[in-house]
Amino acid sequence: MITIKEMAQMLDISTTTVSNVIHGKTGEVSSATIEKVRRLIEEYDYVPNINARNLARNESGIIGLAMKTNRDKYENFIKDPFAGELTGAVESCVRAKGYFIMLYISDDISEIINSVASWNVDGLILFGIAKEDGILLKKRVKKPMVFVDCYIEDSIFEYVNVGIEDRKGCYEITKHLISKGHKKIAYLADNCEGGDYERFKGFKDAITEAGISYDEEDFIMLRPNGADLSLLLADVHRRVKSYTAFVCASDYYAVHIINYLKDHGVSIPEDISIVGFDDNEYSRMVRPALTTVHQDISQKGGIAVEKLFQMIHEEDYGENYTRLPVYVVERDSVKEV
Amino acid sequence: MITIKEMAQMLDISTTTVSNVIHGKTGEVSSATIEKVRRLIEEYDYVPNINARNLARNESGIIGLAMKTNRDKYENFIKDPFAGELTGAVESCVRAKGYFIMLYISDDISEIINSVASWNVDGLILFGIAKEDGILLKKRVKKPMVFVDCYIEDSIFEYVNVGIEDRKGCYEITKHLISKGHKKIAYLADNCEGGDYERFKGFKDAITEAGISYDEEDFIMLRPNGADLSLLLADVHRRVKSYTAFVCASDYYAVHIINYLKDHGVSIPEDISIVGFDDNEYSRMVRPALTTVHQDISQKGGIAVEKLFQMIHEEDYGENYTRLPVYVVERDSVKEV
DNA sequence: ATGAAAGCGCTAACAA
DNA sequence: TTGTTAGCGCTTTCAT
């Protein structure tokens, strides 16, 4: 790899001049020199050493994409289609800005924090961050960052977040069920925090509004403490007769449940209606195709990147919170009762 | 961020000494000094500036993960569950080695090449690379690299590759079909290159061995030149009556075809048997669950990283080619005829 | 056991 | 229009 200095020597000019033509500051360079330099660059395939540049400029051109994982939940995080799509969307937007993505996937937030400092990343996009980690992050890293799908009470600290209307979405789809005559509805999720909690609230909003009573039993907790999924599915199966509809906190579970139930002789939506949340590929692939609420993950990633760069450039980035709209998409997993 | 120099000044010692204790070269440092330095590091949360380190060492600690995409095929590459899983596997192995992943997703190989040079990456894992790009890569980048699932005739140049037994896998599953009495079998794919071509050869091996004649018509080309998938699916539907089984080059298509056909009143496997290749999540999610050939993507990524580091450390990395084994997994999409 | 100093490749303020 | 030079933070060789 040829360097600026070498080129300067070869042409018997200064590094500044070379640097200037490299950066298109050609206002102050004679066209003869420009030409000479350009030729050399071409001939020797000059590419700048980014480390040196970053060191000198005290920037990095790197955007960190950090995902906090859950060791007992994922063996391979990006396998999750959600994470994959988000990664892809973020990558392409960041690349379009001439920056690079460094991927941090870890269940140890301080590992992420150290890497970020070490690499002097210019900005950070965070996904899957819970309260304590958010606090730590906020305290230890002084770079622009935007959270995705984060639900930390904003009383604790200010942060910019891009998420979706989790609560409203779940409210809408539950209302949809109710409008089809359903009155005995259960909510199924694997936790009761963050977005899933919001969705749960939306569920309750809808049934409360419809005058349907809610009992703790109607929250079916999936996979508490890593118990075997098929055991839980068996339990779900047992409870089919108590309800006319299930609202699942995610398509992932909805699809698993549909398949399990079908395999065990229950007809959907005849015996029970099922709806999901996310509108991912799976929801289109199951049969009956899943009625669910749609969210646009690529848009989410795009907006997160947009905001991050506004922060980096110290422009106005608008509200701290942005909640992207969602909507119900009707397919075939709900019947009128 | 505190620097080595600052710490040295505060303690009134030299940067060399500080650097030495940072790197555990404590053989030549008095334990009093060690203690002092350690405390400072602790207190001020010292983290090394990686740019500076890399510049000095002429290394980067970065492994590039480059994926060549196909503009008209993908809007978002990582959305593809295969790419996502591979990314996740590679990331975690690379992290375990104390290196970082920089993601390059682009349809322009020279963009990738320049970035690689600029960042002075220590090694490269390449996915989705075709012949011309492989040649360019080989010529322009002088760093260790390993290809994943690459099929360039090795006569052109030497490269290390980790892939799977595409041909054998497709041979096995076709044989499986034949063993179930099938004689009229079509092969469906969206191209006839690289791995898909190998799979096709495996298909032909099996039918030839069984004395079944092959006609060009039996290769059903999906999505040639980006034509609309549903049109093609309609065509596939029309041809159901000519065959008793379809072997699809990937689960992706197999699942789409199953759903399309089911939606149009054909029963699977009663009216036609269908098999896929890859054993991804989709194959477990469709009904009937797909009989397919299993490959282990995480293992593939892990081995690619292993080999890459052997090359980086100039150790023996064994064969240039490694072909990971695959096997048929029987589910419910095939019936005996 | 400790330190001085050169250098990695590039940038940018300043001088000429 | 072009050149000089002092860093950026760290590593490393060679003295002491």
Side-chain angles (χ1 to χ4, degrees):
Chain A
M1 268 186 53
I2 198 170
T3 68
I4 287 190
K5 202 203 226 172
E6 287 165 349
M7 295 197 291
Q9 280 167 350
M10 293 168 78
L11 297 174
D12 212 33
I13 60 178
S14 79
T15 60
T16 309
T17 306
V18 177
S19 173
N20 277 140
V21 0
I22 287 170
H23 292 92
K25 296 185 198 294
T26 51
E28 321 204 313
V29 185
S30 76
S31 47
T33 318
I34 294 178
E35 198 40 43
K36 282 192 296 184
V37 175
R38 291 244 168 93
R39 245 202 297 279
L40 257 204
I41 289 180
E42 187 69 21
E43 185 177 350
Y44 287 88
D45 275 332
Y46 168 79
V47 280
N49 178 320
I50 296 201
N51 273 313
R53 172 180 294 178
N54 293 342
L55 185 58
R57 284 197 189 155
N58 190 32
E59 300 177 346
S60 67
I62 297 178
I63 300 300
L65 175 55
M67 310 195 154
K68 172 86 186 304
T69 61
N70 205 319
R71 215 187 268 291
D72 59 77
K73 192 165 174 182
Y74 294 103
E75 97 237 46
N76 174 338
F77 190 57
I78 302 244
K79 212 167 166 174
D80 177 338
F82 183 94
E85 185 169 353
L86 188 67
T87 304
V90 167
E91 202 279 342
S92 72
C93 297
V94 165
R95 166 171 312 281
K97 305 247 179 218
Y99 281 66
F100 294 88
I101 277 292
M102 190 160 274
L103 215 47
Y104 301 115
I105 304 176
S106 174
D107 63 350
D108 178 5
I109 199 73
S110 61
E111 192 186 340
I112 292 177
I113 290 174
N114 283 339
S115 304
V116 164
S118 247
W119 282 100
N120 190 24
V121 305
D122 294 333
L124 210 45
I125 291 187
L126 280 327
F127 177 66
I129 304 296
K131 187 167 149 185
E132 312 74 42
D133 291 333
I135 293 172
L136 213 58
L137 234 13
K138 214 41 193 175
K139 201 175 75 187
R140 300 257 324 266
V141 354
K142 294 307 173 204
K143 294 286 180 177
M145 38 189 189
V146 0
F147 292 76
V148 171
D149 283 334
C150 192
Y151 277 98
I152 302 173
E153 310 90 282
D154 27 336
S155 56
I156 300 180
F157 60 81
E158 282 224 332
Y159 64 100
V160 358
N161 180 71
V162 7
I164 54 166
E165 301 172 329
D166 286 293
R167 183 169 186 166
K168 177 148 175 281
C170 213
Y171 166 78
E172 295 290 354
I173 201 157
T174 307
K175 234 175 65 173
H176 172 73
L177 246 19
I178 291 167
S179 77
K180 295 285 185 186
H182 292 273
K183 289 192 176 55
K184 298 161 70 182
I185 312 177
Y187 179 81
L188 331 224
D190 65 354
N191 71 76
C192 196
E193 298 164 356
D196 281 353
Y197 181 52
E198 292 298 308
R199 293 176 188 185
F200 172 64
K201 286 196 282 192
F203 164 77
K204 261 179 92 172
D205 291 345
I207 60 172
T208 306
E209 181 183 279
I212 299 172
S213 70
Y214 168 75
D215 184 281
E216 268 195 15
E217 284 227 321
D218 303 336
F219 189 124
I220 301 180
M221 182 65 94
L222 298 166
R223 178 145 57 168
N225 312 320
D228 190 356
L229 187 57
S230 62
L231 257 48
L232 292 163
L233 288 174
D235 181 50
V236 171
H237 183 190
R238 228 168 287 122
R239 298 172 69 175
V240 163
K241 53 184 167 308
S242 317
Y243 298 97
T244 64
F246 285 161
V247 359
C248 301
S250 71
D251 286 354
Y252 178 82
Y253 282 122
V255 168
H256 271 294
I257 286 168
I258 286 179
N259 279 331
Y260 184 91
L261 294 180
K262 276 172 63 185
D263 291 348
H264 290 76
V266 356
S267 311
I268 297 155
E270 289 71 22
D271 298 335
I272 187 142
S273 293
I274 295 181
V275 299
F277 199 119
D278 288 338
D279 193 23
N280 66 21
E281 283 263 78
Y282 297 148
S283 68
R284 265 155 270 148
M285 286 215 176
V286 248
R287 289 299 177 272
L290 190 64
T291 291
T292 187
V293 1
H294 175 84
Q295 67 158 309
D296 187 335
I297 299 172
S298 293
Q299 181 196 22
K300 201 188 256 177
I303 291 185
V305 172
E306 229 33 81
K307 284 219 161 198
L308 185 65
F309 277 91
Q310 283 161 354
M311 294 169 76
I312 290 174
H313 300 135
E314 297 186 324
E315 297 163 12
D316 177 27
Y317 56 84
E319 297 289 312
N320 272 352
Y321 260 71
T322 107
R323 276 212 194 305
L324 270 13
V326 298
Y327 54 86
V328 170
V329 2
E330 280 189 61
R331 289 199 268 254
D332 315 315
S333 62
V334 172
K335 82 155 183 184
E336 187 129 18
V337 292
Chain B
M1 269 188 51
I2 198 170
T3 67
I4 286 190
K5 201 204 226 170
E6 287 165 349
M7 295 196 292
Q9 280 167 351
M10 293 168 78
L11 296 174
D12 211 34
I13 59 178
S14 78
T15 60
T16 311
T17 305
V18 177
S19 173
N20 277 141
V21 0
I22 287 170
H23 292 91
K25 297 186 198 293
T26 51
E28 320 204 314
V29 184
S30 76
S31 46
T33 316
I34 294 179
E35 198 40 43
K36 284 193 295 184
V37 175
R38 291 243 168 93
R39 245 201 298 278
L40 257 203
I41 290 180
E42 187 69 20
E43 185 176 349
Y44 286 88
D45 274 335
Y46 168 79
V47 280
N49 178 320
I50 297 201
N51 273 312
R53 172 180 293 179
N54 293 342
L55 184 59
R57 283 197 191 155
N58 191 31
E59 301 177 346
S60 66
I62 297 177
I63 300 299
L65 175 54
M67 310 196 155
K68 172 85 186 305
T69 62
N70 206 320
R71 214 188 268 291
D72 57 78
K73 191 164 175 182
Y74 294 103
E75 97 237 47
N76 175 338
F77 189 57
I78 302 244
K79 212 167 166 175
D80 177 339
F82 183 95
E85 185 170 353
L86 188 67
T87 304
V90 166
E91 202 279 342
S92 73
C93 297
V94 165
R95 166 171 312 282
K97 305 248 178 215
Y99 281 66
F100 295 88
I101 277 292
M102 188 159 275
L103 215 46
Y104 301 117
I105 304 176
S106 173
D107 63 350
D108 178 5
I109 199 74
S110 60
E111 191 186 341
I112 292 177
I113 290 174
N114 283 339
S115 305
V116 163
S118 250
W119 282 101
N120 190 22
V121 306
D122 295 333
L124 210 46
I125 291 187
L126 280 327
F127 177 66
I129 305 296
K131 186 167 150 184
E132 312 73 42
D133 291 333
I135 294 172
L136 214 57
L137 234 14
K138 216 37 194 177
K139 199 174 77 188
R140 301 258 320 266
V141 355
K142 294 306 172 202
K143 295 284 180 178
M145 38 189 188
V146 1
F147 292 77
V148 171
D149 283 334
C150 192
Y151 278 99
I152 303 172
E153 311 89 281
D154 28 337
S155 56
I156 300 180
F157 60 81
E158 282 224 333
Y159 64 101
V160 0
N161 180 71
V162 7
I164 54 168
E165 300 172 330
D166 287 294
R167 183 169 186 166
K168 178 147 173 281
C170 214
Y171 166 78
E172 295 288 356
I173 201 158
T174 308
K175 234 176 65 174
H176 171 74
L177 247 18
I178 292 168
S179 78
K180 296 285 186 185
H182 292 273
K183 290 191 176 55
K184 296 161 72 183
I185 311 175
Y187 179 81
L188 331 223
D190 66 353
N191 71 75
C192 195
E193 296 163 358
D196 281 352
Y197 181 52
E198 292 300 308
R199 293 176 187 185
F200 173 64
K201 286 196 281 191
F203 163 77
K204 262 178 90 172
D205 291 346
I207 59 172
T208 306
E209 182 183 279
I212 299 172
S213 70
Y214 168 76
D215 183 282
E216 267 194 15
E217 286 227 320
D218 303 334
F219 189 125
I220 301 181
M221 181 66 94
L222 298 166
R223 181 149 50 171
N225 312 320
D228 189 357
L229 188 57
S230 63
L231 257 48
L232 291 163
L233 288 174
D235 182 49
V236 170
H237 183 189
R238 227 167 289 122
R239 298 173 69 177
V240 163
K241 55 184 167 307
S242 316
Y243 298 96
T244 64
F246 285 162
V247 359
C248 302
S250 72
D251 286 354
Y252 178 83
Y253 283 122
V255 169
H256 272 292
I257 287 168
I258 285 179
N259 279 331
Y260 184 91
L261 294 181
K262 275 171 65 184
D263 292 348
H264 289 76
V266 355
S267 312
I268 296 156
E270 289 71 22
D271 297 336
I272 187 141
S273 294
I274 295 182
V275 299
F277 198 120
D278 288 338
D279 193 23
N280 67 20
E281 284 262 78
Y282 297 148
S283 68
R284 264 156 271 149
M285 287 219 176
V286 247
R287 290 298 178 272
L290 190 64
T291 291
T292 187
V293 0
H294 175 85
Q295 67 158 310
D296 187 335
I297 298 172
S298 292
Q299 182 197 24
K300 201 188 256 179
I303 291 186
V305 173
E306 231 29 83
K307 283 218 162 198
L308 185 64
F309 278 91
Q310 283 162 352
M311 292 168 77
I312 290 174
H313 299 135
E314 297 187 323
E315 296 162 14
D316 177 27
Y317 56 84
E319 296 290 313
N320 271 353
Y321 260 71
T322 105
R323 276 208 195 308
L324 270 14
V326 299
Y327 54 86
V328 170
V329 1
E330 281 189 60
R331 289 198 269 254
D332 314 316
S333 62
V334 172
K335 81 155 184 182
E336 188 129 19
V337 293

